[in-house]
């Protein structure tokens, strides 16, 4: 596991193994497949409302207990082996307050096929600027 610097200056370990990190180009391709993975936005609602990955579900910010509860509701009827991709994009991944709690919560719930979208810089730089599928208020961009 890689040690990173969190928003509050603490050193914490990424809870996911490297194989669970998903590159944006891979997700963009998977979204065009017959059976795309479930994509959960676990960032702040204002970001989701302004623009999000195509067909992503707003699962709330995982930083707060109410966000974890929203995440649990979003996956309540999902099979434990379903493909799930989580992303935030509120800031560079190494500073993100939402992605690690969401990953841990899904693991604790027994989900076995969780991938974390790699957003090293920002959603704009790592997703939007590459014209990957996005939407806002239900309207597709690409």
């Amino acid at each position: 596991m890689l040690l990173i610097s969190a928003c509050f200056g603490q050193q914490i370990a990424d809870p996911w193994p490297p194989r669970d990190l998903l590159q944006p180009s891979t997700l963009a391709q998977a979204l065009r497949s017959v059976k795309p993975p479930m994509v959960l936005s676990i960032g702040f609602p204002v970001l989701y409302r302004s623009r999000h990955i195509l067909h992503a579900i707003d699962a709330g910010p995982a930083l707060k207990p109410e966000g974890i509860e929203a995440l649990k509701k979003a996956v309540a009827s999902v099979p434990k082996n379903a493909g799930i991709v989580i992303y935030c994009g509120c800031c560079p991944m190494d500073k993100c307050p939402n992605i690690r709690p969401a990953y841990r919560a899904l693991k604790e719930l027994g989900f076995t096929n969780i991938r974390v979208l790699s957003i090293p810089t920002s959603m704009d730089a790592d997703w939007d600027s590459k014209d990957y599928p996005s939407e806002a208020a239900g309207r597709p961009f690409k």
Side-chain angles (χ1 to χ4, degrees):
M1 285 191 222
L2 175 67
L3 282 180
I4 54 88
S5 173
C7 278
F8 304 108
Q10 308 149 306
Q11 291 290 318
I12 58 172
D14 288 336
W16 54 83
R19 72 178 176 276
D20 287 350
L21 199 59
L22 184 66
Q23 295 305 312
S25 60
T26 304
L27 177 58
Q29 185 176 11
L31 290 174
R32 294 180 182 98
S33 71
V34 175
K35 187 166 168 113
M38 175 183 217
V39 179
L40 298 173
S41 171
I42 48 85
F44 301 100
V46 68
L47 298 174
Y48 180 84
R49 287 190 302 269
S50 66
R51 188 171 184 161
H52 56 269
I53 293 173
L54 188 65
H55 305 306
I57 296 166
D58 181 12
L63 170 66
K64 299 179 177 190
E66 54 271 18
I68 294 295
E69 287 306 310
L71 176 64
K72 288 177 181 180
K73 286 179 185 174
V75 298
S77 63
V78 176
K80 299 297 183 188
N81 65 346
I84 297 174
V85 176
I86 59 172
Y87 82 98
C88 180
C90 71
C91 57
M93 242 173 105
D94 65 345
K95 294 175 174 47
C96 181
N98 295 305
I99 200 83
R100 288 160 193 81
Y103 183 88
R104 285 187 195 100
L106 290 170
K107 280 296 190 184
E108 288 170 7
L109 290 170
F111 288 93
T112 59
N113 191 10
I114 308 161
R115 305 292 300 273
V116 176
L117 185 62
S118 179
I119 305 292
T121 308
S122 69
M123 280 301 289
D124 184 55
D126 301 319
W127 187 268
D128 298 333
S129 71
K130 298 182 185 329
D131 290 330
Y132 293 146
S134 298
E135 64 185 344
R139 295 184 331 229
F141 282 99
K142 297 281 177 188

